Amino acid sequence: RIVVGPDFDQQFTAQEQALILQHEHSHRRNGDHWANGVLLLMRAVFWFHPLLPWAARRFLRDQELACDARTIAPQPALRGLYASTLLKAQLVHPVAPAVCHWRSQPVLKERIAMLKQSKRKALPWVSGQVLVVGLCLGVGAVAWASQGGAMAAGPTVAVMDREIRVDKMPPPSYPKSAFEQSQTGVVVLRVDVDAQGAVSDVRVVSATNPGVFEAVSIAAARSWTYRPALKNGKPVAGAVRIPITFAMDESDEVTETAR
């Protein structure tokens, strides 16, 4: 069932109504409501995972872009009307953002910009598929070769009894300027830990919003408490990668997650 707001037939023309309903019917035919249900279940079960909020936003963004493409593909002449309907929908009555993403403001500009693009050509798509298959085969070959090398090494190979553990991880402070500008990001750190469990070095592997969250992430990682890795029953130096997600929920409260 598709639920529309009050005065839907008065606020939108017949053509605009038809485009909105076609968009929602496309969601239904494609099974997006089931996919969203699975997403909600995953967010409930894996609520602690630092990358899940970012992945959920990307999933919903791509879902809306794909639905726009399916809706407008049979009628490319209506792209202008479709874009104006998206803009007009921002000015009418509010809708429930948890179940309807037609008015997704953060990606509105990108959705309208994508309407200008023509249908992709077959050659780049085929080339991309060949590249993905080639990468998968290459990674599989490397993994198989490394496994064979490990087996050939025999019983003399040292056994890692325990990886590095982090006992206490107080979350980093959210930068004031980033909070005021509603900036979010993910920082991946490489933390080197010596055999005594002390931090010897902290480096930034990647950052989705460079120059904003690196400093507070490094400061937090240096203050955490670590247990060194154990190899053959003895503590040894090692390194661990730690992703830190800086995100805000719908009520603009800061959520800081470290894993």
Side-chain angles (χ1 to χ4, degrees), residues 186-191 201-208 210 213-215 217-218:
V186 178
V187 178
V188 180
L189 300 177
R190 174 191 166 92
V191 181
D201 188 26
V202 180
R203 284 172 286 174
V204 176
V205 178
S206 64
T208 58
F213 301 106
E214 289 94 324
S217 299
I218 292 175

Side-chain angles (χ1 to χ4, degrees), residues 8-236:
F8 176 74
D9 54 345
Q10 299 178 12
Q11 292 169 338
F12 297 95
T13 66
Q15 275 191 313
E16 292 171 343
Q17 295 176 41
L19 288 175
I20 293 175
L21 294 178
Q22 288 175 22
H23 177 97
E24 299 305 328
H25 279 300
S26 178
H27 274 309
R28 180 184 58 81
R29 287 192 298 269
N30 199 58
D32 290 345
H33 53 299
W34 295 112
N36 291 343
V38 173
L39 176 62
L40 289 175
L41 179 61
M42 292 182 62
R43 296 194 69 171
V45 175
F46 300 102
W47 56 268
F48 54 87
H49 199 291
L51 295 181
L52 190 57
W54 174 84
R57 290 193 297 271
R58 299 290 297 182
F59 172 81
L60 294 175
R61 162 194 171 276
D62 290 346
Q63 185 184 87
E64 288 302 315
L65 291 175
C67 189
D68 290 340
R70 291 193 304 267
T71 302
I72 210 64
Q75 43 194 359
L78 297 181
R79 290 184 181 186
L81 179 61
Y82 191 84
S84 65
T85 305
L86 283 175
L87 287 172
K88 184 177 180 181
Q90 308 302 311
L91 305 177
V92 300
H93 53 81
V95 296
V99 296
C100 179
H101 308 286
W102 170 263
R103 299 175 66 252
S104 302
Q105 294 185 14
V107 297
L108 178 62
K109 183 177 180 180
E110 184 178 3
R111 292 175 66 184
I112 294 177
M114 290 292 287
L115 293 173
K116 300 178 182 179
Q117 299 187 12
S118 57
K119 186 177 181 181
R120 64 183 181 183
K121 297 180 180 179
L123 182 59
W125 183 83
V126 173
S127 302
Q129 298 297 313
V130 172
L131 178 62
V132 170
V133 172
L135 287 175
C136 292
L137 292 176
V139 171
V142 171
W144 179 266
S146 62
Q147 183 181 22
M151 294 176 62
T156 59
V157 178
V159 178
M160 185 69 71
D161 300 326
R162 186 187 71 193
E163 301 293 338
I164 296 174
R165 294 181 181 178
V166 188
D167 284 341
K168 296 181 180 180
M169 303 176 67
S173 58
Y174 214 101
K176 182 178 179 181
S177 59
F179 175 75
E180 293 173 347
Q181 300 175 23
S182 298
Q183 291 181 306
T184 61
V186 178
V187 178
V188 180
L189 300 177
R190 174 191 166 92
V191 181
D192 295 328
V193 181
D194 61 23
Q196 287 72 42
V199 177
S200 58
D201 188 26
V202 180
R203 284 172 286 174
V204 176
V205 178
S206 64
T208 58
N209 201 345
V212 179
F213 301 106
E214 289 94 324
V216 295
S217 299
I218 292 175
R222 290 189 179 278
S223 68
W224 295 338
T225 304
Y226 302 86
R227 291 187 188 180
L230 294 179
K231 182 180 290 186
N232 292 336
K234 297 181 180 180
V236 294

